[in-house]
Amino acid sequence: MVKVQQRKINQENLLRIQVAIYNSSLFNKLLVMICCGLYVFSVYGSEKTTDKQQIADWSEKLTTAKSIFVKRRAVRHLTKYGIQAVIPLQKAVKNHDYMVRATAIKALCQIKDYNKLSLLSAKISDPEAIVRLQVVKELGKLEPRCKNIDKMLNKMRSDSSAVVREAANNALWPFFRNNVTIKKRFDYDHTVTLVKEINLPLDGWKFQLDNTQAGHLNGWHKVNYDDSRWKKISIGKSWEKFGYDYDGVAWYRTKFKLPPKPKQIAAELHFGAVDEDAWVWLNGVYIGQHVMGAAGWDEPFNLDVSKEVKWNQENQIIVRVYDNIYAGGIWKPITIQIFK
Amino acid sequence: MKGMLDMKKMLLLLLICASVLSAKSEEAATETTIVGWNRAAKLFSENVKVGKFAVRSGEMGGNYASFALCFSPKNMGASDAEISLFWRANRSNSPVWRLEVRLYDSLDISKGGFLYWRSKNQSKANTDWQKIDIQLSTMKSHKKVDPKKIRQIFFILYRVGAAPKGQVHKTEFFIDGLTINGEQQGSVLISPQRPFAFRRMGTKKIKVKLNAEKKLTAGKAVVTVAGKKKSYDIAELRPGQDTILSFDFDSTLRPGKYPCKIEINDNSGKNLASRTVELYIAPRSTPHKIPVVMWGHANLQEVKKRGFTHSFITLSDNKSVFAAKKILNTDNVPHYQRASKMLDQALIDDFGVAGYIGSGRYLCHETQRQFQRVGHSGEKLKKHRNACALFLEAKKFSYNTAASVAKTYGKFPAFELAMAESETRDGAELCFHEHDKAAYKAYSGKEIPSAIGTKKGVNYKNIINFPANHIINDNHPVLQYLKWYWQKGDGWNGLYSETHRGLQSGNRSIGSWMDPAIRAPSVSGAGGEVDYISQWTYSYPDPIKIGKVVDELLAMASLSSRKDQKVMNTTQICWYRARTAPKRKSGQYPNIPLADWEKQHPDANLITIAPDHLSEAFWSQISRPIDGLMYHGWWNLANLDQKNRYMYRYTNSKTEKVLKRLIDTVVTPLGPSLKQIPDISSDVAFLQSFASEMFYNAGEWGWGWGWSNDAYQILRYAHMQPKVVYEESILRGDLKNVKVLVAVKCPVLTQSVAQKIIQFQNRGGIIVGDENLAPGITPDIVMSSYKKPKNSKIDALTLRKTGLQAKAKNLVKELRGTYFLYADTSNPDVILRVRRYKDCDYLFVINDKRTFGNYVGQYKKVMEKGLPTQALIKLRRKGFVYDLVTHQPVASKILKGKLNLQVKLAPGEGKLFMISKRQISKLKLTVPAKVKRNTSMPVLIKITDNKNRAIRGIVPVLVNIKDSKRNKAEFSGYYGLRNGKIRIIIDIAKNDEVGTWKITVKELASGKITSKNFIVEKEEG
C-alpha cells in the first residue's frame, strides 16, 4: 500500500517537472532537464533498490520466521515481484510448509517464459494434496496442451486425494460448447413461437455408472460404442427409483426416430430437468451442457440441435449426468421443441 | 348481509306446530313436544326451562322424550350454517341423560327426511351446561348437509343406561343460548358483535346489532355488566333493518369473565328480548415472550396442549378484495363467524393466532393469468407457475388484502402474527414485460443483458473472456441484472413489503413473516420489510446444520432495509421417507426387519422427526438470537383424528413429549431472558458470495446441504463460532473485528469484495479457502472439500462425520498459536455456542453424539439416535457458573486462567449455562406494604452479589402474584432481569380481592426464592 502511494507521488513529481520544462526558457530548460534526469534516476534507482530490499526481507522471513502464517504472507508478497523474485520463489517450492510450496508454484506459473512443465513435473509427487492440486490446476492452464501434460493429468486421475482426482478429471474434460438457443440469439430479432413438441421415449434407455469418470476416455459418448452390456433404465424418474443409491457420474444412451422435417426455424432439445449436471451428445456431436450444480436439479433447459438433428431418420442421444447429493438422473421427460 | 336479514325474517316465521305439552303426568312414557313460537323465542334467550319430562324404562317408545323446532325453508340459507346450544337436565334420578339433535328436511318426520344428528351425554354428577355445536361447513363431504334443505330441528332427550323395566325417570330440561349462525333468535334479535375478549386496561367499545320483528319507537336497552346496570335510549328499531347499540366496557377490571346482559324494553318498560354474552378480560402479556408457532391449521386447543403459543387461521378474503379493488371490512362473510369466535376463544385460552394472508398465491392461481410471467419475446410462459409481482395492481391488491384483514380482525387481541406469504417466490422465472424492462432501465440505465441464463445465474465457463483471476467488475452486466432481479426485479420482495404495510394499517401492529426467505441467493432484501424472516429446515442428516440456516437468516435480516428485521425459523417435524427410511419395493432391504411404524403406516410419505434430532435442532436454533420458533407437520406430532392429515403420519410418540418438555423447561421460563441476550461479536466470518452463486451456482438455497454446509459444520466441530457474511456485509465493514475469514465455494468475486478481502489479509487476517477459491485471492489455509472415500465398507454418514471432524482437527492444528478459541472442548461431538450480555456469558452446550437407531437408522440414511456423552469445557474467562435449565449453581475450576467445566449430556440434550463475573448472593424484592384498589403499585426485584452490586447480565426469574384468595394475578410469569433488576407496575383493579396478597420470586440461575406480602385495601370513597 505504502509502495503504491510512493509511486503515485513520484509520478506526480515527474508531471510537475514536465510542466516546468515546458514553461521555462532554453537555458532553464537545459538546467531543469539535467535536474530532471537526476531525479528520474534517483526515483527509479531507489524503487529498484526498495524492491530488492523488500524481496530480500520477505525471502529472509520465508526462511527464518517461526509462524507459518508469516511464511505464507512472505511468499504471497514475493508473488507480486514476479521474475525479480524467481530465486526465492524457487527456494520456496522446496519449503517445508505446504501452503508456501503451493503458493510458490502458483507464483512461478504466472511468470512468462518460465519453464512451468519442468517445475510441475517435479512437484507432481509432492506429499501434500494441496500442492498436487495446485500442480493439476496449473497443468490444466498450460497451452498448447501436449501429450506430456495429458500424461501427467492422467496420472493424477488416480491420486490418493479425491480433490486432486476430481481436478484432474475436470482438466481432462475436453467438451464444452456455448449453446445459444433461438430465443437468446442476438441476431434473431423476431417473434419465436413453439409450434410442436415431440416426446423422446421414456423407456428403452441404456444406463451405466461411471465411478472413475473415465467414460469419455473409453468412448462412451461415441455413436458406435457397444452399449449392449449396459443396464436398462427409463427416464422421467431419478435413478434412485431404479435401485441406484448412487452419487456421481452416470451415462444414458438411447435411439429414437423422428418424423419428416417440419417447417421450422429452430429445433431444440428440451430437458424438463436433470438432477444435477448434464452433458449432451446428439448423433455423435457434442451439443452442450447444463452445469449448475445442485441448484440446477429442477431447472428446465434447452439446447439448440437445429443442425445436428436428423429428420425422418433414427437419432442417437447420449447424456452424461453428474449428481452430487440426494436423487440424481434425468428425472423429467425430454422433448424436441420445434420453433417458428 | 342481506342473506342474514332474510334468515332472521324467516326465523320469525317459525312454525308453531302445537302448544307446549311439556308438563305431562309422570305416567306418560314419552311425548313429542312441539315447541311453539312464543316459547321458542324464549329458548333463544338464556336459561329457559323447556319443560318437565318423564320417561319410562324398557317399554316400547320409552326412555326418551322429544320436542321439535320447525323452520321455514329459507331460514338456514347460509352456506356455512352453524347451530349451537347449551343444555342441562336437572333433578334427575337417572344416571345419565343424553340430548340428541336431529336435522330433517321435512316438517313431518314420519315421512322421513333425516339429514344429520349429533348427541351429547350429561353424567349424573355433572349438572353443568353441556354444549352442542353443529358446524355444517366442517362436515365430511359424504355427510355434507345443505343448510337450505333443513326444515326442522328435532330434539330427543334420552335416559341412558340400564334400569328396571317400567321405572319412571323425571327431569327438568333446560336450553340456553341457542344460536343459529351465531344469531340469537327472538322478537327483537340481539346480536352482540365480537370481539367479546379483550386485553386488560382501557375502555372497550361493545357493539350490538338489534333487529326487531315489529317497529319499535322510544325503547330502551338495559345493559348489565359486573352488577352495574346502565340504560340507553333507542330512538327507533325498524323491522329488517339493523340498528347498532354501542356501549363502553370498562376493561380495567381484574382479568376474568364478565356476563353482560342486554335487555330490550319497549316504551312501556315491557321486556321484548334479552340476551347474555360473556365478556372476557385477559391479563396483559409479560414482556419478551418467544412465540412457538405451529405452522399450519389445527385445532387450537390441541395445539396449545402441546406447548405452542400460536397457530394458523386463514383470515384473508382474497377473492372479495380482488373483485372490489379496495380495502374491505370482511365481517359479513360466513367465515367471519367462525374465525371471530376462534379468535375470542384463543384469547380466553391464552393463545395467539397467526393469520394467513396469501395474496401472492392468489395471484399465481390459474384464474389470474393476466399476471402471468412472460419470456424474452413477450410470450406467456407455458405454465402459469408464478405471477409477475412487479405489476402495480398486484402490489396494490396485496396491500388491500392485508389491510382488509387488519381492518376486520385487528380488533381481536389474539390476532398477533400473520404469514404474509410462503413459497410463492420459488416458482418465479425471469420475466420480460415492458414494465420489467422499464424498471430495470430505471434502476441501471441499461437494457436487460441477453446473456442471462436463469434466475440462478450462468456458469462462468459459458462467458467468453471471463477474467483468469475470476475477479469481475462490480457492474458486470449479468451480475448487476441478477442482483436487481433478486432484490427488486421479481417483484416479490416489494409485494411482501406491501402486505406488511397493509397489516400495519390498522390501529395496532401485527407481526408479519415470510418464508422460506433464503430459498434465494445471498443478497439482501428477501422478505421485503416483513417483521420476521424464516426458512423451512429439515434436520437430516445432521440436526446442527439448522444452525447454519439460522445464521444465514441472521445475515439476511441484518442487511434488511428496515434494520430491525428478526428471525423466526421453522423446523420440519416431518421427515421425507426417501431421505430417511425409503418405502420398500418387493425384494428391497431383505435383511432389514420392518419397524412397527412401517407396518402401521406403509403408505407414509412424511414421518415424524426423531426425538433426539428434534431436541438437537431446537438447541441449535435457540442458541442463536432468534425471536421465535416455528414448527411444521402437525399430523406428525399429534396422534389425533387423522382426517386431513394428507401424507403426514404420526410415527413416533416420543417426539411430542420432547418438544413439550423443551418448551416448558426452556422457551417458557428462559425465553424472556434469551430474547434480550445478543450474540457475541464473532471473530470468524463465513463468506457466502452472491457473485459465486450466480457465476458458479455455488448457492445452497437454504437447504443446508453441500460442501458449504460441510465446511460450516467443520467450523462447529472445531468449536469456532462463525457468522455468515454476505458480500454486502463485507463492503459495509463487517470484517472489522474478524480474525478468520472462511471462503469456500467462492470461485468468483467482485473487485470491491476482493479488495476488501485482500486488505483484511494484509492487516493480518487469515483466509481459509478451498480448492475453488477465486485465483485472484491466495488463501492462508486451504481446506479442501470433503469427498466420500472410495470403496469403503463403512457407511457414508459415519465416514462423513469422521471426515469432517478430522478436517476440524487439522484446521485447529493449523491455526494453533495464531487463533485462540474462546470456548473449547476436546470432545468434537459437543457443540458450543456463546452469547453475551455485559459481564455474563451464556454458554450453550449441545450433544451431537449420535448413532443409527432402529427407528429409521437401519437404512443408514440418518443417525437418529442420540448417545450420552460428556466433555470438559474450557472458557477463556473467570466467573461463577449457573445452569439455567435446572436453576442451580455448577461447580467449576479455574486452571491456567481458564474456566474448566465438566458437563454430562443425555442423548440429544442441550444445556444452557450462565457465567457471571459476580456471584449471585441476594434476591431482593421490594413492594409497598399497602395498596388501595384502583391504583398502581411498583414491584422492584433486584439480584446482587454479596456487596450489593447488581449482576450485570440478563437473569431469568419467575414472578408469582397471588391475591388474597390465592388466585393468580396479572403479570405473574417469567421475566428476564436486565442488569439484575426489574420494576413491574401492577395495576390493582377496583374489583380485585381485598386482603393480603403474596408475591413470590424465584430466580432461575441459582434457584433463590423470596416472597413478600402486601395488603390490598378498598379504594377511598
Side-chain angles (χ1 to χ4, degrees):
Chain A
M1 203 62 188
V2 175
K3 197 173 167 184
V4 172
Q5 279 171 356
Q6 186 60 51
R7 276 206 172 126
K8 254 187 183 173
I9 294 164
N10 289 343
Q11 279 163 7
E12 279 168 19
N13 287 343
L14 280 171
L15 198 71
R16 281 192 199 110
I17 291 165
Q18 281 171 19
V19 173
I21 293 169
Y22 183 80
N23 291 333
S24 57
S25 65
L26 190 65
F27 176 75
N28 285 348
K29 265 183 185 159
L30 201 67
L31 196 67
V32 172
M33 278 169 81
I34 292 165
C35 295
C36 170
L38 287 170
Y39 178 76
V40 170
F41 177 78
S42 69
V43 165
Y44 285 94
S46 69
E47 265 194 19
K48 224 169 185 177
T49 315
T50 314
D51 278 359
K52 275 184 187 169
Q53 205 172 333
Q54 293 278 345
I55 291 166
D57 287 350
W58 289 121
S59 303
E60 196 186 333
K61 279 179 186 162
L62 196 55
T63 46
T64 57
K66 283 180 184 168
S67 161
I68 55 166
F69 291 102
V70 176
K71 288 182 178 183
R72 290 172 190 184
R73 191 179 305 159
V75 73
R76 271 202 315 273
H77 280 283
L78 286 171
T79 304
K80 293 178 202 164
Y81 298 99
I83 190 80
Q84 291 183 71
V86 73
I87 294 167
L89 284 171
Q90 277 173 331
K91 276 187 192 169
V93 166
K94 293 169 191 163
N95 194 288
H96 73 276
D97 181 62
Y98 77 97
M99 271 310 292
V100 170
R101 297 201 296 278
T103 311
I105 290 168
K106 183 180 172 184
L108 288 168
C109 287
Q110 283 169 5
I111 297 170
K112 210 180 163 189
D113 299 330
Y114 187 79
N115 188 352
K116 294 163 188 120
L117 203 55
S118 151
L119 167 73
L120 297 174
S121 60
K123 296 309 293 178
I124 201 166
S125 309
D126 192 283
E128 281 291 336
I130 298 301
V131 180
R132 299 198 300 277
L133 178 70
Q134 193 62 44
V135 170
V136 172
K137 280 184 181 180
E138 300 303 337
L139 280 171
K141 287 184 208 164
L142 289 185
E143 279 181 353
R145 182 73 70 87
C146 62
K147 278 187 179 174
N148 256 352
I149 296 173
D150 279 354
K151 201 176 161 188
M152 280 196 273
L153 285 171
N154 254 319
K155 190 182 168 193
M156 304 300 264
R157 287 185 58 249
S158 51
D159 193 275
S160 58
S161 157
V163 178
V164 177
R165 287 198 301 271
E166 190 177 286
N169 274 324
N170 288 340
L172 282 168
W173 181 249
F175 299 100
F176 180 79
R177 179 165 156 185
N178 195 14
N179 189 306
V180 183
T181 56
I182 186 85
K183 287 180 185 172
K184 290 181 185 171
R185 269 169 55 182
F186 294 103
D187 58 336
Y188 198 83
D189 191 17
H190 300 286
T191 305
V192 177
T193 316
L194 173 67
V195 289
K196 194 176 179 185
E197 218 165 347
I198 302 164
N199 294 319
L200 262 62
L202 292 174
D203 303 321
W205 290 69
K206 290 297 189 74
F207 181 73
Q208 184 65 42
L209 302 181
D210 184 6
N211 281 311
T212 56
Q213 301 189 22
H216 65 293
L217 301 173
N218 299 324
W220 293 6
H221 60 293
K222 290 182 179 165
V223 177
N224 298 328
Y225 179 78
D226 178 13
D227 58 17
S228 57
R229 288 186 181 182
W230 286 22
K231 301 276 190 316
K232 283 183 183 171
I233 202 168
S234 299
I235 62 163
K237 289 173 186 172
S238 67
W239 63 48
E240 275 81 358
K241 301 264 179 193
F242 297 92
Y244 298 100
D245 197 1
Y246 168 76
D247 292 332
V249 173
W251 293 68
Y252 290 76
R253 289 169 66 102
T254 198
K255 289 178 180 171
F256 59 97
K257 200 174 173 192
L258 286 177
K261 188 175 181 180
K263 280 190 178 176
Q264 52 135 7
I265 52 162
E268 290 177 6
L269 268 173
H270 171 77
F271 287 77
V274 176
D275 194 349
E276 300 164 10
D277 298 336
W279 294 262
V280 184
W281 290 259
L282 186 68
N283 300 321
V285 181
Y286 183 68
I287 299 302
Q289 61 286 320
H290 167 75
V291 182
M292 289 186 72
W297 76 280
D298 64 340
E299 287 286 339
F301 62 95
N302 277 29
L303 296 168
D304 183 79
V305 289
S306 304
K307 287 178 186 163
E308 293 79 12
V309 72
K310 291 178 184 172
W311 296 106
N312 208 17
Q313 285 183 58
E314 191 169 69
N315 289 261
Q316 187 191 45
I317 182 169
I318 299 162
V319 186
R320 178 185 188 255
V321 178
Y322 173 68
D323 172 52
N324 182 43
I325 193 160
Y326 296 149
I330 308 171
W331 67 285
K332 285 204 174 176
I334 307 171
T335 59
I336 295 218
Q337 294 184 334
I338 314 297
F339 292 96
K340 260 176 96 172
Chain B
M1 198 62 204
K2 196 169 179 303
M4 296 290 283
L5 291 174
D6 285 346
M7 195 195 73
K8 287 174 207 158
K9 271 185 190 174
M10 297 319 294
L11 276 164
L12 295 173
L13 298 172
L14 187 79
L15 295 178
I16 304 171
C17 298
S19 61
V20 179
L21 295 171
S22 57
K24 276 301 215 179
S25 70
E26 289 184 2
E27 281 68 38
T30 177
E31 291 294 339
T32 299
T33 306
I34 309 296
V35 180
W37 165 244
N38 286 333
R39 194 142 182 84
K42 284 190 179 175
L43 286 181
F44 292 114
S45 62
E46 57 179 304
N47 197 3
V48 165
K49 184 162 80 177
V50 177
K52 290 178 183 170
F53 290 90
V55 295
R56 189 187 296 274
S57 310
E59 290 181 359
M60 182 67 80
N63 283 334
Y64 72 90
S66 60
F67 65 97
L69 291 175
C70 304
F71 292 84
S72 63
K74 289 184 182 173
N75 58 15
M76 298 283 286
S79 60
D80 189 25
E82 176 184 320
I83 301 162
S84 165
L85 78 147
F86 291 90
W87 68 276
R88 180 159 66 96
N90 258 6
R91 294 186 209 159
S92 169
N93 60 349
S94 165
V96 179
W97 288 98
R98 175 192 295 161
L99 182 71
E100 187 171 304
V101 182
R102 293 182 172 206
L103 307 179
Y104 285 88
D105 67 0
S106 160
L107 292 174
D108 184 355
I109 62 170
S110 64
K111 291 178 182 170
F114 169 73
L115 294 171
Y116 182 78
W117 68 275
R118 173 78 60 89
S119 68
K120 193 158 189 174
N121 287 358
Q122 180 196 30
S123 70
K124 187 182 179 183
N126 187 358
T127 53
D128 282 349
W129 291 98
Q130 309 296 306
K131 193 178 183 195
I132 290 190
D133 266 323
I134 302 174
Q135 291 193 0
L136 301 184
S137 62
T138 58
M139 287 178 184
K140 277 184 180 171
S141 57
H142 66 278
K143 285 186 178 174
K144 204 101 185 166
V145 172
D146 181 358
K148 287 175 190 160
K149 286 187 178 171
I150 300 169
R151 299 287 186 279
Q152 186 171 178
I153 306 176
F154 196 85
F155 299 86
I156 306 172
L157 188 68
Y158 287 94
R159 189 203 61 79
V160 181
K165 190 177 174 184
Q167 189 175 338
V168 174
H169 300 277
K170 293 174 285 182
T171 185
E172 284 180 317
F173 178 64
F174 297 83
I175 281 186
D176 189 9
L178 173 62
T179 62
I180 294 168
N181 284 347
E183 299 287 346
Q184 191 180 32
Q185 317 304 317
S187 60
V188 175
L189 296 175
I190 303 169
S191 313
Q193 303 295 293
R194 288 179 187 274
F196 298 156
F198 308 91
R199 283 251 180 244
R200 190 173 173 226
M201 298 312 276
T203 302
K204 314 294 183 206
K205 276 267 180 254
I206 309 290
K207 286 182 179 173
V208 182
K209 260 191 213 171
L210 303 174
N211 194 299
E213 184 188 11
K214 290 177 190 169
K215 188 176 175 182
L216 170 73
T217 49
K220 273 205 187 306
V222 180
V223 178
T224 312
V225 188
K228 286 194 175 174
K229 226 176 225 189
K230 206 166 178 185
S231 184
Y232 300 86
D233 290 335
I234 301 169
E236 187 179 60
L237 291 183
R238 288 187 177 182
Q241 195 176 313
D242 286 337
T243 301
I244 302 290
L245 167 70
S246 175
F247 59 89
D248 290 341
F249 172 47
D250 177 10
S251 68
T252 62
L253 298 172
R254 73 182 216 201
K257 291 176 178 173
Y258 292 91
C260 167
K261 186 172 183 180
I262 305 147
E263 292 166 285
I264 306 298
N265 301 333
D266 66 11
N267 51 9
S268 69
K270 185 185 163 194
N271 179 250
L272 298 175
S274 65
R275 180 161 183 192
T276 302
V277 290
E278 203 159 66
L279 302 178
Y280 180 77
I281 299 173
R284 283 167 290 174
S285 191
T286 50
H288 305 300
K289 279 184 177 174
I290 290 185
V292 186
V293 181
M294 167 45 67
W295 195 112
H297 296 82
N299 178 301
L300 300 188
Q301 277 79 22
E302 291 292 342
V303 175
K304 183 179 161 60
K305 257 192 231 171
R306 284 158 182 82
F308 293 92
T309 62
H310 292 75
S311 187
F312 275 22
I313 299 183
T314 298
L315 298 179
S316 58
D317 183 3
N318 289 304
K319 199 174 171 183
S320 306
V321 176
F322 189 80
K325 292 189 167 66
K326 62 178 184 184
I327 300 164
L328 295 177
N329 190 344
T330 56
D331 62 4
N332 54 353
V333 297
H335 175 68
Y336 176 80
Q337 298 295 342
R338 209 155 49 123
S340 59
K341 204 168 161 185
M342 287 166 84
L343 283 159
D344 269 348
Q345 191 57 46
L347 189 68
I348 293 166
D349 295 341
D350 188 22
F351 197 72
V353 164
Y356 173 55
I357 310 298
S359 50
R361 186 161 293 280
Y362 183 81
L363 295 171
C364 299
H365 192 263
E366 276 301 318
T367 54
Q368 302 297 333
R369 290 184 78 92
Q370 66 271 32
F371 296 107
Q372 188 170 357
R373 290 178 172 259
V374 298
H376 281 272
S377 320
E379 80 285 5
K380 287 200 171 179
L381 299 176
K382 199 173 160 190
K383 285 180 187 168
H384 181 34
R385 295 211 307 171
N386 200 262
C388 174
L390 266 194
F391 276 104
L392 286 177
E393 300 94 298
K395 287 185 178 173
K396 187 97 199 294
F397 164 61
S398 287
Y399 178 86
N400 285 347
T401 305
S404 299
V405 169
K407 189 174 182 176
T408 310
Y409 296 101
K411 58 197 173 215
F412 292 90
F415 175 32
E416 293 175 333
L417 295 169
M419 183 170 79
E421 212 71 64
S422 182
E423 285 198 313
T424 34
R425 200 183 189 192
D426 299 1
E429 291 160 80
L430 302 182
C431 187
F432 302 91
H433 286 113
E434 287 309 317
H435 64 244
D436 293 301
K437 294 175 191 170
Y440 183 62
K441 191 149 194 179
Y443 167 82
S444 66
K446 295 173 189 169
E447 305 293 337
I448 295 176
S450 41
I452 301 294
T454 70
K455 66 176 182 177
K456 291 178 183 173
V458 53
N459 196 307
Y460 71 89
K461 288 176 188 167
N462 284 333
I463 296 175
I464 299 159
N465 297 330
F466 199 76
N469 62 1
H470 291 196
I471 308 295
I472 58 169
N473 281 332
D474 285 66
N475 57 358
H476 187 288
V478 172
L479 185 78
Q480 195 178 16
Y481 170 74
L482 288 170
K483 193 171 179 186
W484 171 80
Y485 172 83
W486 281 106
Q487 290 185 312
K488 294 180 163 63
D490 77 350
W492 284 111
N493 292 339
L495 190 135
Y496 302 145
S497 296
E498 290 300 326
T499 305
H500 168 77
R501 284 181 206 126
L503 282 167
Q504 312 314 314
S505 65
N507 52 10
R508 70 189 183 94
S509 174
I510 293 156
S512 61
W513 88 84
M514 174 266 164
D515 59 45
I518 51 165
R519 208 174 281 173
S522 304
V523 65
S524 65
E529 291 174 16
V530 295
D531 292 303
Y532 305 90
I533 51 172
S534 180
Q535 182 76 7
W536 298 10
T537 41
Y538 293 90
S539 69
Y540 44 70
D542 295 307
I544 62 163
K545 74 181 189 145
I546 282 183
K548 182 186 177 231
V549 172
V550 177
D551 288 345
E552 285 182 62
L553 286 168
L554 288 167
M556 181 70 88
S558 78
L559 290 162
S560 162
S561 58
R562 58 171 289 172
K563 310 288 179 203
D564 60 346
Q565 198 168 57
K566 300 176 185 80
V567 169
M568 184 162 65
N569 198 43
T570 309
T571 308
Q572 296 283 22
I573 301 169
C574 50
W575 270 2
Y576 275 103
R577 276 294 281 281
R579 304 271 178 269
T580 52
K583 284 184 191 174
R584 297 182 185 204
K585 285 177 187 164
S586 60
Q588 262 188 313
Y589 308 108
N591 301 323
I592 301 175
L594 280 171
D596 287 346
W597 68 265
E598 286 178 291
K599 291 174 195 163
Q600 208 180 340
H601 302 287
D603 61 330
N605 283 336
L606 289 159
I607 60 171
T608 310
I609 182 176
D612 292 340
H613 258 242
L614 182 98
S615 177
E616 253 196 79
F618 167 86
W619 281 104
S620 295
Q621 290 174 95
I622 204 85
S623 60
R624 269 94 179 162
I626 53 170
D627 278 73
L629 288 158
M630 289 200 279
Y631 289 88
H632 170 246
W634 171 240
W635 296 110
N636 297 106
L637 192 73
N639 192 22
L640 297 171
D641 178 15
Q642 299 281 285
K643 67 177 180 182
N644 299 330
R645 62 184 179 170
Y646 307 107
M647 49 193 176
Y648 303 89
R649 296 291 179 273
Y650 179 85
T651 54
N652 197 321
S653 59
K654 287 180 189 162
T655 303
E656 64 176 305
K657 293 181 188 103
V658 167
L659 182 58
K660 178 79 169 55
R661 182 170 46 78
L662 289 168
I663 294 170
D664 288 349
T665 59
V666 183
V667 184
T668 308
L670 307 179
S673 296
L674 289 173
K675 217 166 166 180
Q676 299 181 73
I677 303 168
D679 233 345
I680 56 166
S681 171
S682 178
D683 55 6
V684 180
F686 187 90
L687 175 60
Q688 293 200 170
S689 153
F690 176 70
S692 297
E693 287 167 357
M694 292 298 105
F695 289 104
Y696 184 70
N697 312 116
E700 292 179 355
W701 305 85
W703 289 104
W705 36 243
W707 162 230
S708 173
N709 179 64
D710 287 353
Y712 210 77
Q713 228 159 295
I714 289 169
L715 301 181
R716 304 301 290 123
Y717 289 141
H719 303 120
M720 297 166 97
Q721 186 166 320
K723 64 176 176 185
V724 170
V725 291
Y726 288 179
E727 288 170 344
E728 293 157 273
S729 332
I730 286 184
L731 292 176
R732 77 173 172 187
D734 279 13
L735 293 183
K736 198 179 167 190
N737 297 316
V738 168
K739 290 175 183 160
V740 179
L741 172 67
V742 182
V744 302
K745 284 182 91 173
C746 293
V748 181
L749 296 169
T750 60
Q751 276 175 350
S752 58
V753 171
Q755 200 179 356
K756 288 274 182 190
I757 291 174
I758 290 166
Q759 283 170 7
F760 161 80
Q761 195 179 35
N762 286 345
R763 62 171 187 264
I766 294 164
I767 298 173
V768 179
D770 64 356
E771 65 272 21
N772 287 316
L773 183 62
I777 306 284
T778 304
D780 296 273
I781 295 171
V782 175
M783 182 170 75
S784 58
S785 59
Y786 170 74
K787 308 278 180 201
K788 194 168 82 180
K790 276 202 294 188
N791 307 324
S792 175
K793 286 180 183 172
I794 304 168
D795 66 89
L797 285 184
T798 307
L799 282 172
R800 181 171 165 274
K801 191 166 184 182
T802 317
L804 298 187
Q805 289 186 340
K807 282 184 181 288
K809 206 173 170 185
N810 272 344
L811 183 62
V812 172
K813 197 175 150 192
E814 287 217 48
L815 288 168
R816 193 167 293 153
T818 305
Y819 177 78
F820 302 96
L821 292 166
Y822 180 69
D824 194 10
T825 168
S826 56
N827 185 344
D829 285 331
V830 170
I831 309 297
L832 308 175
R833 204 169 189 289
V834 181
R835 282 159 71 181
R836 181 176 296 155
Y837 181 82
K838 293 195 175 169
D839 288 350
C840 288
D841 280 348
Y842 297 84
L843 171 70
F844 295 82
V845 184
I846 307 167
N847 180 4
D848 187 44
K849 189 169 184 182
R850 282 172 290 117
T851 186
F852 296 106
N854 54 12
Y855 173 47
V856 296
Q858 59 274 30
Y859 293 96
K860 304 286 179 197
K861 285 181 174 280
V862 185
M863 290 185 188
E864 89 283 16
K865 185 179 160 55
L867 294 170
T869 193
Q870 54 182 322
L872 176 67
I873 299 164
K874 294 179 181 180
L875 258 83
R876 290 157 54 79
R877 68 162 291 166
K878 294 172 184 172
F880 300 90
V881 185
Y882 302 94
D883 184 331
L884 294 187
V885 180
T886 59
H887 321 310
Q888 58 189 350
V890 177
S892 63
K893 283 180 191 168
I894 304 293
L895 294 170
K896 294 180 185 172
K898 284 184 180 178
L899 188 145
N900 281 233
L901 182 64
Q902 188 70 45
V903 178
K904 281 185 182 173
L905 293 146
E909 193 189 10
K911 282 184 182 287
L912 170 54
F913 298 103
M914 181 178 96
I915 299 123
S916 169
K917 193 174 163 186
R918 294 173 182 168
Q919 187 173 20
I920 294 175
S921 298
K922 293 175 191 168
L923 173 63
K924 294 178 188 171
L925 172 64
T926 314
V927 291
K930 286 179 183 176
V931 62
K932 289 205 179 335
R933 289 202 302 200
N934 207 17
T935 58
S936 301
M937 63 167 268
V939 172
L940 188 66
I941 305 166
K942 260 183 152 180
I943 299 172
T944 64
D945 64 3
N946 57 3
K947 291 177 183 168
N948 290 327
R949 293 175 304 182
I951 303 298
R952 283 162 48 91
I954 310 281
V955 188
V957 296
L958 169 64
V959 177
N960 249 319
I961 308 168
K962 295 245 171 113
D963 69 13
S964 56
K965 292 200 171 162
R966 295 293 168 258
N967 299 311
K968 196 187 261 189
E970 191 183 34
F971 290 140
S972 292
Y974 294 96
Y975 294 82
L977 266 61
R978 186 180 280 260
N979 294 317
K981 63 182 175 186
I982 194 167
R983 192 166 180 261
I984 304 166
I985 303 293
I986 299 172
D987 300 305
I988 308 290
K990 54 190 161 205
N991 63 337
D992 260 325
E993 296 290 343
V994 292
T996 306
W997 288 37
K998 187 175 187 181
I999 300 186
T1000 307
V1001 179
K1002 182 177 181 186
E1003 163 268 301
L1004 303 180
S1006 72
K1008 288 186 170 43
I1009 298 176
T1010 187
S1011 62
K1012 282 260 168 86
N1013 291 343
F1014 64 96
I1015 295 165
V1016 172
E1017 298 175 327
K1018 278 189 177 173
E1019 62 271 43
E1020 282 163 9

